Amino acid sequence: KEVLRLINTELLKQKIDSSGYRFSWIAKQLKLSSYGFRKKLNNDTEFKVSEVSKICKILTINDKERDTIFFCKD
């Protein structure tokens, strides 16, 4: 049975690490606390469409990468 996960956490963390941006700075750009961002990153809560859009702009994530990160399947 195929299960839809919210996000590919590892791939998104890799993109953040390679971007050179601080985790807390990205959270601030999304108007989230570091705790709130971490909850979303760990699939505890969902990202809003506007947050996904902003993350893609900040990290220069293209449409294919966006779909792989935010709409991944197990």
Side-chain angles (χ1 to χ4, degrees), residues 18-35:
S18 65
S19 74
Y21 292 118
R22 295 178 64 101
F23 183 87
S24 57
W25 183 84
I26 295 172
K28 188 174 182 179
Q29 302 312 302
L30 299 174
K31 297 181 176 25
L32 295 170
S33 65
S34 289
Y35 176 74

Side-chain angles (χ1 to χ4, degrees), residues 18-63:
S18 65
S19 74
Y21 292 118
R22 295 178 64 101
F23 183 87
S24 57
W25 183 84
I26 295 172
K28 188 174 182 179
Q29 302 312 302
L30 299 174
K31 297 181 176 25
L32 295 170
S33 65
S34 289
Y35 176 74
F37 187 35
R38 207 164 290 282
K39 283 184 66 92
K40 291 179 185 241
L41 195 60
N42 291 326
N43 286 311
D44 293 331
T45 58
E46 293 183 15
F47 279 100
K48 294 179 186 175
V49 172
S50 60
E51 293 166 341
V52 171
S53 178
K54 193 163 235 177
I55 288 171
C56 290
K57 285 180 184 158
I58 291 169
L59 301 178
T60 56
I61 293 172
N62 65 36
D63 290 350

Side-chain angles (χ1 to χ4, degrees), residues 5-7 12 47 52 55-56 66-72:
R5 281 191 297 154
L6 298 179
I7 63 163
L12 184 53
F47 279 100
V52 171
I55 288 171
C56 290
R66 178 201 62 211
D67 292 348
T68 302
I69 292 170
F70 292 100
F71 306 106
C72 68

